[in-house]
Amino acid sequence: MSEKEQAPLREIRINPIVPSESVLVATARAMRPRKDEEPAPRDTRRHVERCPFCQGNEAMTPPTIMAVPGEENWQIRMVENLYPVLGETAGGALTFGLQQAIDGYGRHEVIIDNAVHGIAIHEMDEAHLALLFGVYRDRMAQLYASDSRIRYVLVFKNFGPAAGASIAHTHSQIIAMPVVPENLHNELLNSRVHYQKYNQCIFCSLIDEALTFEATIYDRVSGEIRRKINVGQYVVERGEHFIAIKPFASRYEWEVHILPLQHDSDFLNISDAQRADLARVMRRTMARLDAVVGGVQYNYFLHSLPRSEAYADCQSGFHWHLEICPRTSIPTGFELGSGLFVNTISPEDAAQQLREVSLES
Amino acid sequence: MSEKEQAPLREIRINPIVPSESVLVATARAMRPRKDEEPAPRDTRRHVERCPFCQGNEAMTPPTIMAVPGEENWQIRMVENLYPVLGETAGGALTFGLQQAIDGYGRHEVIIDNAVHGIAIHEMDEAHLALLFGVYRDRMAQLYASDSRIRYVLVFKNFGPAAGASIAHTHSQIIAMPVVPENLHNELLNSRVHYQKYNQCIFCSLIDEALTFEATIYDRVSGEIRRKINVGQYVVERGEHFIAIKPFASRYEWEVHILPLQHDSDFLNISDAQRADLARVMRRTMARLDAVVGGVQYNYFLHSLPRSEAYADCQSGFHWHLEICPRTSIPTGFELGSGLFVNTISPEDAAQQLREVSLES
């Protein structure tokens, strides 16, 4: 590597889909001393007597909504969240002057991802993960069908205390909302504008840039190479149907997005073959993250086309995806005050480190 | 309190200035069990031998930029940040296709707020705080004057590890940026639109709502009272020139904003009398937060009119303010996936709790 390539990177990278979610990549910042704390050891127990999500403790939770393969000896189990953020309401939020509010109607459910208490995603069988994605799909479809007030069903997972998980047993959550989340709304509108302008899905273009482009940028005066973009530089994992990409404008140091290679706006269209491949790409991506970060704690969430007339014209421009956000640093007053995330690891280096992990399978 | 008033609140409150920064207020969520961990005791030492920000260790930092009252026996001292997020650059970020970036030019400085290592804001003299605000003002003015590439100077503070502070010695930071931060940009544009429509600063209207309005909302059918808004319900602290308000749409449970009572878009216009009053309102507000939260860890930041032609027409509509964001919970996949913050304490209750703290002075 030449000296030029080692110079610290310091640039504000614009998120091509939602420019307001931009990031300051400042690699010199990574050199500052951090307390050399070992990450807290992960809770890897298989069964915990008093855990409400462990088998045998079903009475400690609200009743089963869905269980796979069945109520007896379930491997995946869904229940209502005991402390829902959205739920039944008296109806009609009260607004006054500048105090505008929307009634917090909705549903909030927990998916116990696995009967094994402390298992991580990359330790699960691919067949199990495919089942889990099937549960996501089926419950999303049910919730949309059950209630026309539901505008969006958000699936997400918190893993580890740094990611805000308050219960150690591995679980996902589903929140059925009376509004389309603002950040998804922006993705939908901006990708629609891009499609109207260029007749091309911007997510498909990003996949193309990751898979099929190379480029060299020279200095105008000296003719020296200033930057090279290589084929596959942003690819973390590639399956038959899915790709895991390190975004150019990653807000989180180890952020990775998984997208279907073929354009599709709606996660609910996923086929069985695709689910199996998603499980494989997911397991391998999480294994890479776990190896590089060292016991990765993270959030992931699904952004898919809302089931609403208002977004019917977003099908060609929007591309569903799963965003994985490992939580390796705490946002400070700079992030809060500027809205700009600071990322201290170059996304290109991060992608390379993730690719270099050797996986056993 | 009637039963109706005790029913859990569940509503999505729209931020009146930037609707995309809305919040889900879900008070039932506050009842969920949390681990009963005592907050880590704050580092209250007066002097730490090896702390680079303590007196006597000036050689451990970059050279002094500014010292108050003087280099000898300073009480406030400003130095460059050893690991700046923005700084000198080779110039010209390299852009390609969907990879758009802005050169990360700028400055990043640290203000050692006080010679006493572990002192909290509410423990400082008001005279000292007035000096500190003077340092903010003077350095902001210098940075704007020194370099026309600077579009915004952001002053902020991280206090405590939960707020991302990596050095325990109390300090603020100043970052001079080549762009206006996106969230401030949105405040500026939206408040300009409001001014154009209503010939009224929206921040002034919010202060009026807090200070001078009361309202009762009845049920259309039964005539029962559904909600009362009382005079002063959102006021935490009121000085001669400044007011501390609990926003109706608070993203953080204990978030408080401090604003000048008289309209002013630019913090740099602050007079000496105003600085003294700001110091008093700030000290008392932080004392209230510290008492209620118990060793509050927080970020604060200043939003003021950028020194740029592009925002010259925002002077009437924009109102400078300081936002204090205590960090009492960790954002989860819901916040990341939806952009919607979850607040489990009703802002009205929070304001009341803060007002009820009895202060010695």
Side-chain angles (χ1 to χ4, degrees), chain A residues 154-234:
Chain A
L154 180 70
V155 174
F156 65 97
K157 180 174 174 71
N158 308 327
F159 191 73
S166 54
I167 290 188
H169 192 123
T170 186
H171 65 284
S172 307
Q173 298 183 59
I174 292 196
I175 296 189
M177 306 172 64
V179 291
V180 172
E182 186 68 20
N183 56 6
L184 175 59
H185 175 79
N186 288 335
E187 288 180 5
L188 289 157
L189 293 203
N190 293 349
S191 61
R192 185 174 64 187
V193 167
H194 188 93
Y195 186 81
Q196 286 164 344
K197 272 195 200 163
Y198 303 113
N199 203 27
Q200 168 87 14
C201 161
I202 190 169
F203 297 89
C204 289
S205 297
L206 288 167
I207 295 172
D208 278 338
E209 275 201 9
L211 280 179
T212 64
F213 278 22
E214 67 183 14
T216 307
I217 301 178
Y218 300 92
D219 187 84
R220 195 192 272 208
V221 179
S222 69
E224 267 182 87
I225 292 175
R226 292 186 64 194
R227 182 161 164 205
K228 283 188 84 131
I229 296 168
N230 300 317
V231 167
Q233 190 169 13
Y234 295 94

XYZ file of all heavy atoms in Angstrom, chain A residues 154-234:
645
model
N -43.048 -3.444 10.893
C -41.587 -3.399 10.997
C -41.086 -4.617 11.762
O -41.507 -4.858 12.895
C -41.151 -2.118 11.728
C -39.641 -1.921 11.919
C -38.951 -1.630 10.587
C -39.354 -0.784 12.895
N -40.192 -5.377 11.121
C -39.532 -6.503 11.784
C -38.124 -6.067 12.139
O -37.421 -5.501 11.292
C -39.460 -7.727 10.848
C -38.634 -8.838 11.485
C -40.851 -8.222 10.511
N -37.727 -6.313 13.373
C -36.361 -5.957 13.753
C -35.863 -6.871 14.854
O -36.637 -7.616 15.466
C -36.273 -4.488 14.194
C -37.045 -4.163 15.443
C -36.424 -4.128 16.685
C -38.403 -3.887 15.380
C -37.134 -3.819 17.843
C -39.130 -3.582 16.530
C -38.494 -3.552 17.761
N -34.573 -6.812 15.079
C -33.956 -7.639 16.119
C -32.916 -6.805 16.851
O -32.171 -6.049 16.226
C -33.280 -8.859 15.477
C -32.590 -9.800 16.475
C -32.076 -11.051 15.764
C -31.252 -11.923 16.705
N -32.088 -12.587 17.727
N -32.890 -6.940 18.178
C -31.839 -6.344 19.008
C -31.051 -7.496 19.608
O -31.632 -8.360 20.261
C -32.438 -5.528 20.158
C -33.468 -4.512 19.694
O -33.343 -3.965 18.599
N -34.484 -4.271 20.508
N -29.752 -7.508 19.407
C -28.944 -8.595 19.964
C -27.818 -8.011 20.807
O -26.918 -7.349 20.283
C -28.390 -9.477 18.841
C -27.776 -10.767 19.334
C -28.589 -11.796 19.798
C -26.404 -10.954 19.339
C -28.036 -12.993 20.259
C -25.842 -12.144 19.801
C -26.665 -13.165 20.259
N -27.888 -8.252 22.109
C -26.854 -7.768 23.029
C -27.272 -6.472 23.695
O -28.034 -5.690 23.130
N -26.767 -6.242 24.909
C -27.148 -5.027 25.639
C -26.756 -3.739 24.912
O -27.478 -2.743 24.984
C -26.413 -5.152 26.982
C -25.538 -6.354 26.895
C -25.927 -7.159 25.707
N -25.646 -3.742 24.182
C -25.245 -2.527 23.466
C -26.247 -2.177 22.373
O -26.281 -1.047 21.889
C -23.854 -2.697 22.854
N -27.060 -3.159 21.974
C -28.072 -2.931 20.944
C -29.442 -2.692 21.569
O -30.453 -2.663 20.868
C -28.123 -4.120 19.988
N -29.478 -2.541 22.891
C -30.730 -2.221 23.562
C -31.595 -3.423 23.890
O -32.752 -3.262 24.266
N -31.052 -4.653 23.754
C -31.845 -5.842 24.087
C -32.001 -5.915 25.602
O -31.009 -5.882 26.324
C -31.173 -7.106 23.555
N -33.238 -6.008 26.080
C -33.436 -6.046 27.531
C -33.611 -7.477 28.027
O -33.577 -7.725 29.227
C -34.628 -5.182 27.938
O -35.779 -5.564 27.221
N -33.813 -8.419 27.113
C -33.910 -9.836 27.487
C -32.832 -10.578 26.713
O -32.676 -10.379 25.501
C -35.320 -10.389 27.172
C -36.326 -9.753 28.148
C -35.365 -11.913 27.246
C -37.717 -10.339 28.090
N -32.060 -11.427 27.413
C -30.894 -12.046 26.775
C -31.281 -13.128 25.775
O -30.584 -13.341 24.786
C -29.967 -12.627 27.843
N -32.392 -13.831 26.012
C -32.793 -14.911 25.110
C -33.015 -14.334 23.705
O -33.748 -13.363 23.532
C -34.076 -15.567 25.631
C -34.398 -16.858 24.945
N -34.552 -18.050 25.615
C -34.579 -17.156 23.626
C -34.831 -19.018 24.746
N -34.850 -18.484 23.527
N -32.390 -14.958 22.725
C -32.421 -14.426 21.355
C -33.861 -14.259 20.859
O -34.675 -15.174 20.972
C -31.587 -15.329 20.414
O -31.519 -14.714 19.132
C -32.161 -16.729 20.288
N -34.177 -13.074 20.367
C -35.547 -12.809 19.905
C -35.572 -11.676 18.890
O -34.660 -10.861 18.830
C -36.462 -12.470 21.089
C -36.112 -11.190 21.792
N -35.037 -11.082 22.651
C -36.665 -9.956 21.757
C -34.955 -9.845 23.116
N -35.928 -9.131 22.583
N -36.626 -11.678 18.070
C -36.910 -10.573 17.151
C -38.194 -9.903 17.615
O -38.857 -10.389 18.528
C -37.106 -11.082 15.721
O -36.032 -11.878 15.299
N -38.544 -8.808 16.984
C -39.785 -8.136 17.336
C -40.505 -7.695 16.065
O -39.879 -7.447 15.033
C -39.508 -6.913 18.229
C -38.853 -7.300 19.556
C -38.632 -6.119 20.490
O -39.568 -5.435 20.872
N -37.386 -5.886 20.855
N -41.819 -7.623 16.175
C -42.645 -7.132 15.077
C -43.512 -6.014 15.628
O -44.192 -6.202 16.637
C -43.542 -8.253 14.507
C -42.679 -9.306 13.802
C -44.575 -7.683 13.555
C -43.465 -10.239 12.895
N -43.450 -4.865 14.989
C -44.312 -3.760 15.402
C -45.149 -3.326 14.209
O -44.614 -2.951 13.162
C -43.483 -2.586 15.972
C -42.771 -3.039 17.259
C -44.381 -1.377 16.244
C -42.087 -1.930 18.036
N -46.462 -3.438 14.378
C -47.399 -3.010 13.336
C -47.805 -1.582 13.656
O -48.324 -1.309 14.736
C -48.617 -3.926 13.316
N -47.528 -0.675 12.713
C -47.606 0.753 13.004
C -48.730 1.452 12.239
O -49.057 1.061 11.126
C -46.282 1.420 12.612
C -45.061 0.792 13.243
S -43.520 1.477 12.547
C -43.663 3.191 13.085
N -49.250 2.537 12.810
C -50.308 3.296 12.122
C -49.756 4.314 11.123
O -50.525 5.053 10.531
C -51.010 4.010 13.281
C -49.917 4.247 14.270
C -48.982 3.068 14.155
N -48.436 4.355 10.986
C -47.799 5.270 10.029
C -46.659 4.519 9.343
O -46.149 3.529 9.867
C -47.184 6.511 10.721
C -48.263 7.421 11.285
C -46.205 6.099 11.809
N -46.264 5.005 8.175
C -45.050 4.492 7.546
C -43.878 5.246 8.171
O -43.892 6.476 8.224
C -45.092 4.706 6.017
C -43.759 4.350 5.373
C -46.213 3.859 5.420
N -42.877 4.506 8.679
C -41.765 5.193 9.353
C -41.122 6.226 8.432
O -40.990 6.005 7.228
C -40.766 4.072 9.658
C -41.526 2.805 9.558
C -42.679 3.052 8.649
N -40.730 7.318 9.036
C -40.190 8.446 8.292
C -38.980 8.060 7.433
O -38.862 8.486 6.289
C -39.784 9.531 9.298
C -39.343 10.821 8.693
C -40.462 11.583 8.002
O -41.652 11.336 8.291
O -40.130 12.424 7.147
N -38.077 7.241 7.980
C -36.876 6.946 7.189
C -37.207 6.042 5.994
O -36.652 6.209 4.909
C -35.746 6.387 8.065
C -36.158 5.168 8.842
O -37.264 4.657 8.666
N -35.276 4.693 9.701
N -38.160 5.124 6.174
C -38.592 4.298 5.042
C -39.344 5.156 4.020
O -39.148 5.026 2.808
C -39.475 3.150 5.546
C -40.105 2.280 4.461
C -39.050 1.634 3.572
C -40.985 1.203 5.090
N -40.186 6.042 4.526
C -40.911 6.978 3.660
C -39.932 7.742 2.765
O -40.141 7.872 1.555
C -41.709 7.934 4.547
C -42.418 9.026 3.820
N -43.600 8.825 3.155
C -42.102 10.334 3.637
C -43.998 9.960 2.597
N -43.104 10.896 2.877
N -38.846 8.208 3.349
C -37.851 8.935 2.558
C -37.181 8.035 1.525
O -36.926 8.457 0.400
C -36.784 9.548 3.472
C -37.332 10.728 4.260
O -38.295 11.366 3.837
N -36.740 11.000 5.408
N -36.889 6.792 1.910
C -36.312 5.856 0.939
C -37.276 5.630 -0.224
O -36.875 5.577 -1.388
C -36.022 4.494 1.593
C -34.853 4.500 2.561
C -34.607 3.119 3.182
O -35.281 2.142 2.782
O -33.749 3.025 4.071
N -38.556 5.490 0.105
C -39.562 5.229 -0.924
C -39.678 6.413 -1.878
O -39.650 6.249 -3.101
C -40.916 4.942 -0.261
C -41.015 3.593 0.470
C -42.104 3.635 1.528
C -41.291 2.465 -0.522
N -39.787 7.613 -1.306
C -39.967 8.790 -2.158
C -38.730 9.046 -3.009
O -38.833 9.309 -4.209
C -40.252 10.029 -1.309
C -41.575 10.057 -0.565
C -41.959 11.498 -0.251
C -42.694 9.399 -1.365
N -37.558 8.949 -2.389
C -36.343 9.269 -3.139
C -36.053 8.223 -4.210
O -35.585 8.560 -5.295
C -35.149 9.416 -2.188
C -35.299 10.632 -1.284
O -36.177 11.471 -1.503
N -34.469 10.739 -0.272
N -36.333 6.960 -3.912
C -36.079 5.942 -4.931
C -37.121 6.043 -6.049
O -36.833 5.738 -7.207
C -36.047 4.538 -4.319
O -37.278 4.212 -3.722
N -38.299 6.532 -5.721
C -39.301 6.755 -6.768
C -38.854 7.887 -7.700
O -38.949 7.773 -8.925
C -40.659 7.093 -6.149
C -41.764 7.222 -7.188
C -43.117 7.422 -6.543
N -43.158 8.677 -5.802
C -44.173 9.054 -5.033
N -45.228 8.265 -4.889
N -44.144 10.199 -4.388
N -38.357 8.959 -7.112
C -37.849 10.073 -7.935
C -36.711 9.581 -8.832
O -36.659 9.889 -10.022
C -37.368 11.238 -7.034
C -36.560 12.250 -7.837
C -38.557 11.905 -6.356
N -35.810 8.787 -8.260
C -34.690 8.259 -9.045
C -35.212 7.416 -10.205
O -34.727 7.520 -11.334
C -33.778 7.416 -8.142
C -32.497 6.985 -8.794
N -31.333 7.706 -8.691
C -32.200 5.918 -9.576
C -30.377 7.097 -9.372
N -30.874 6.002 -9.913
N -36.209 6.613 -9.930
C -36.769 5.768 -10.985
C -37.425 6.615 -12.070
O -37.269 6.354 -13.267
C -37.786 4.781 -10.401
C -38.266 3.799 -11.435
C -37.502 2.677 -11.752
C -39.456 4.012 -12.134
C -37.912 1.784 -12.730
C -39.875 3.121 -13.110
C -39.100 2.014 -13.400
O -39.498 1.142 -14.376
N -38.135 7.638 -11.640
C -38.796 8.505 -12.625
C -37.770 9.192 -13.522
O -37.981 9.362 -14.716
C -39.669 9.548 -11.909
C -40.948 8.935 -11.327
C -41.634 9.832 -10.305
O -41.032 10.776 -9.800
N -42.881 9.532 -9.987
N -36.641 9.577 -12.937
C -35.595 10.258 -13.704
C -34.825 9.315 -14.609
O -34.523 9.637 -15.752
C -34.570 10.869 -12.738
C -34.866 12.258 -12.252
C -33.578 12.807 -11.624
C -33.846 13.955 -10.701
N -32.701 14.203 -9.820
N -34.432 8.163 -14.058
C -33.450 7.315 -14.754
C -34.018 5.985 -15.220
O -33.296 5.186 -15.807
C -32.245 7.062 -13.841
C -31.588 8.331 -13.364
C -31.628 8.705 -12.022
C -30.930 9.179 -14.268
C -31.028 9.872 -11.586
C -30.330 10.352 -13.832
C -30.380 10.692 -12.488
O -29.786 11.852 -12.055
N -35.265 5.726 -14.903
C -35.888 4.466 -15.283
C -35.090 3.280 -14.748
O -34.934 2.253 -15.421
C -36.011 4.390 -16.815
C -37.106 3.422 -17.239
O -38.062 3.207 -16.501
N -36.961 2.828 -18.406
N -34.583 3.424 -13.557
C -33.688 2.424 -12.979
C -33.864 2.456 -11.467
O -33.931 3.533 -10.865
C -32.246 2.806 -13.367
C -31.140 2.067 -12.657
C -30.779 0.760 -13.357
O -31.164 0.536 -14.501
N -30.074 -0.098 -12.666
N -33.937 1.289 -10.861
C -33.991 1.213 -9.392
C -32.618 1.575 -8.836
O -31.603 1.009 -9.243
C -34.390 -0.202 -8.967
S -33.967 -0.601 -7.256
N -32.568 2.503 -7.901
C -31.272 2.953 -7.375
C -30.569 1.839 -6.596
O -29.342 1.743 -6.592
C -31.422 4.238 -6.522
C -30.050 4.829 -6.188
C -32.250 3.991 -5.270
C -30.101 6.221 -5.591
N -31.345 0.962 -5.985
C -30.731 -0.158 -5.261
C -30.084 -1.127 -6.260
O -28.995 -1.648 -6.015
C -31.775 -0.889 -4.416
C -32.397 -0.048 -3.328
C -33.529 0.718 -3.580
C -31.855 -0.024 -2.054
C -34.116 1.489 -2.584
C -32.442 0.743 -1.048
C -33.569 1.509 -1.316
N -30.767 -1.363 -7.393
C -30.174 -2.213 -8.436
C -28.877 -1.582 -8.947
O -27.889 -2.279 -9.197
C -31.155 -2.405 -9.602
S -32.570 -3.471 -9.212
N -28.873 -0.252 -9.078
C -27.657 0.434 -9.527
C -26.532 0.245 -8.523
O -25.370 0.069 -8.896
C -27.914 1.936 -9.699
O -28.873 2.152 -10.692
N -26.872 0.295 -7.232
C -25.845 0.108 -6.208
C -25.284 -1.313 -6.264
O -24.077 -1.523 -6.092
C -26.419 0.401 -4.815
C -26.675 1.886 -4.539
C -27.520 2.063 -3.285
C -25.354 2.639 -4.380
N -26.151 -2.283 -6.508
C -25.676 -3.664 -6.646
C -24.760 -3.769 -7.865
O -23.692 -4.385 -7.810
C -26.872 -4.641 -6.752
C -27.671 -4.638 -5.446
C -26.387 -6.049 -7.087
C -28.986 -5.422 -5.521
N -25.164 -3.124 -8.957
C -24.320 -3.127 -10.156
C -22.966 -2.491 -9.869
O -21.931 -3.009 -10.282
C -25.008 -2.360 -11.297
C -26.022 -3.234 -12.024
O -25.895 -4.474 -11.939
O -26.927 -2.681 -12.663
N -22.982 -1.364 -9.163
C -21.709 -0.711 -8.847
C -20.816 -1.628 -8.032
O -19.597 -1.636 -8.188
C -21.944 0.594 -8.066
C -22.206 1.770 -8.975
C -21.937 3.113 -8.285
O -21.397 3.147 -7.164
O -22.269 4.117 -8.892
N -21.435 -2.387 -7.129
C -20.642 -3.279 -6.277
C -20.096 -4.461 -7.063
O -18.982 -4.928 -6.823
C -21.489 -3.770 -5.102
N -20.875 -4.956 -8.020
C -20.520 -6.222 -8.678
C -19.799 -6.061 -10.001
O -19.047 -6.946 -10.400
C -21.799 -7.036 -8.947
C -22.389 -7.819 -7.785
C -23.646 -8.536 -8.256
C -21.382 -8.822 -7.233
N -20.045 -4.963 -10.708
C -19.626 -4.958 -12.117
C -18.804 -3.749 -12.532
O -18.500 -3.603 -13.713
C -20.875 -5.000 -13.040
O -21.638 -3.800 -12.835
C -21.737 -6.207 -12.762
N -18.470 -2.863 -11.572
C -17.765 -1.645 -11.981
C -16.340 -1.658 -11.458
O -16.082 -2.073 -10.335
C -18.446 -0.407 -11.385
C -19.642 0.067 -12.140
C -20.349 -0.774 -12.982
C -20.079 1.384 -12.001
C -21.480 -0.328 -13.660
C -21.206 1.835 -12.676
C -21.908 0.988 -13.502
N -15.417 -1.131 -12.268
C -14.157 -0.705 -11.691
C -13.818 0.649 -12.273
O -14.281 1.021 -13.356
C -13.038 -1.725 -11.893
C -12.590 -1.922 -13.296
C -11.521 -3.012 -13.403
O -11.327 -3.772 -12.436
O -10.893 -3.092 -14.459
N -13.017 1.410 -11.535
C -12.722 2.763 -11.982
C -11.418 3.220 -11.355
O -11.008 2.726 -10.303
C -13.849 3.712 -11.560
N -10.752 4.123 -12.047
C -9.538 4.731 -11.512
C -9.688 6.238 -11.638
O -10.139 6.728 -12.674
C -8.302 4.270 -12.310
O -8.300 2.840 -12.353
C -7.015 4.752 -11.658
N -9.357 6.956 -10.573
C -9.408 8.414 -10.630
C -7.978 8.934 -10.509
O -7.254 8.563 -9.578
C -10.302 8.988 -9.506
C -11.731 8.417 -9.638
C -10.338 10.513 -9.572
C -12.686 8.881 -8.560
N -7.573 9.752 -11.473
C -6.205 10.274 -11.512
C -6.175 11.721 -11.044
O -7.188 12.420 -11.086
C -5.664 10.210 -12.949
C -5.634 8.806 -13.503
C -6.720 8.311 -14.218
C -4.532 7.976 -13.292
C -6.707 7.017 -14.718
C -4.517 6.679 -13.790
C -5.608 6.204 -14.501
O -5.597 4.929 -14.987
N -5.008 12.170 -10.636
C -4.830 13.584 -10.331
C -4.783 14.362 -11.636
O -4.117 13.960 -12.591
C -3.538 13.796 -9.542
C -3.416 15.224 -9.055
O -3.997 15.519 -7.999
O -2.771 16.046 -9.743
N -5.482 15.482 -11.684
C -5.602 16.233 -12.924
C -4.243 16.741 -13.406
O -3.966 16.774 -14.603
C -6.534 17.433 -12.681
C -7.031 18.074 -13.947
C -7.680 19.406 -13.654
N -9.109 19.257 -13.357
C -10.004 20.217 -13.591
N -9.624 21.374 -14.099
N -11.267 20.030 -13.289
N -3.397 17.136 -12.457
C -2.103 17.721 -12.818
C -1.017 16.653 -12.951
O -0.403 16.485 -14.000
C -1.682 18.775 -11.764
C -0.317 19.361 -12.118
C -2.746 19.862 -11.672
N -0.827 15.887 -11.884
C 0.322 14.975 -11.883
C 0.036 13.673 -12.611
O 0.954 12.948 -12.980
C 0.719 14.663 -10.440
O -0.300 13.874 -9.833
N -1.231 13.356 -12.795
C -1.558 12.089 -13.430
C -1.436 10.891 -12.494
O -1.697 9.755 -12.881
N -1.054 11.150 -11.255
C -0.969 10.051 -10.279
C -2.350 9.461 -9.991
O -3.352 10.167 -10.051
C -0.443 10.595 -8.945
C 1.041 10.511 -8.753
C 1.396 11.053 -7.368
O 1.359 10.264 -6.409
O 1.672 12.260 -7.253
N -2.360 8.203 -9.603
C -3.624 7.576 -9.209
C -4.048 8.115 -7.848
O -3.275 8.088 -6.898
C -3.477 6.044 -9.139
C -3.269 5.476 -10.549
C -4.706 5.409 -8.478
C -3.006 3.989 -10.571
N -5.280 8.624 -7.760
C -5.769 9.117 -6.473
C -6.687 8.104 -5.812
O -6.783 8.046 -4.593
C -6.500 10.450 -6.654
C -5.535 11.564 -7.070
C -6.234 12.901 -7.117
N -6.699 13.319 -5.806
C -7.559 14.315 -5.613
N -8.055 14.969 -6.648
N -7.941 14.650 -4.405
N -7.389 7.364 -6.611
C -8.285 6.382 -6.011
C -8.645 5.322 -7.030
O -8.829 5.619 -8.211
C -9.559 7.090 -5.540
C -10.528 6.165 -4.861
C -11.502 6.944 -4.019
N -12.628 6.106 -3.675
C -13.831 6.566 -3.384
N -14.056 7.855 -3.400
N -14.798 5.743 -3.083
N -8.750 4.097 -6.556
C -9.198 3.006 -7.417
C -10.442 2.377 -6.812
O -10.516 2.174 -5.600
C -8.109 1.928 -7.521
C -6.976 2.293 -8.455
C -6.049 1.107 -8.667
C -6.594 0.202 -9.759
N -5.567 -0.132 -10.768
N -11.394 2.103 -7.654
C -12.563 1.346 -7.209
C -12.505 0.009 -7.931
O -12.452 -0.036 -9.165
C -13.869 2.094 -7.549
C -13.908 3.419 -6.774
C -15.087 1.239 -7.213
C -14.986 4.369 -7.241
N -12.444 -1.062 -7.170
C -12.288 -2.386 -7.759
C -13.609 -3.127 -7.819
O -14.507 -2.880 -7.009
C -11.287 -3.204 -6.938
C -9.927 -2.538 -6.909
O -9.441 -2.055 -7.934
N -9.335 -2.472 -5.723
N -13.690 -4.056 -8.741
C -14.875 -4.910 -8.824
C -15.002 -5.677 -7.508
O -14.020 -6.222 -7.000
C -14.745 -5.893 -10.010
C -15.813 -6.982 -9.920
C -14.863 -5.151 -11.334
N -16.177 -5.672 -6.941
C -16.412 -6.467 -5.738
C -15.929 -5.827 -4.454
O -15.997 -6.434 -3.389
N -15.473 -4.584 -4.534
C -14.882 -3.939 -3.359
C -15.871 -3.786 -2.194
O -15.461 -3.742 -1.044
C -14.383 -2.554 -3.793
C -13.531 -1.852 -2.777
C -12.851 -0.626 -3.373
O -13.186 -0.162 -4.458
N -11.878 -0.108 -2.644
N -17.146 -3.674 -2.502
C -18.148 -3.470 -1.450
C -18.930 -4.742 -1.124
O -19.858 -4.712 -0.333
C -19.106 -2.341 -1.855
C -18.382 -1.018 -1.940
C -17.876 -0.554 -3.149
C -18.147 -0.282 -0.787
C -17.164 0.637 -3.208
C -17.437 0.900 -0.841
C -16.951 1.353 -2.054
O -16.243 2.520 -2.092
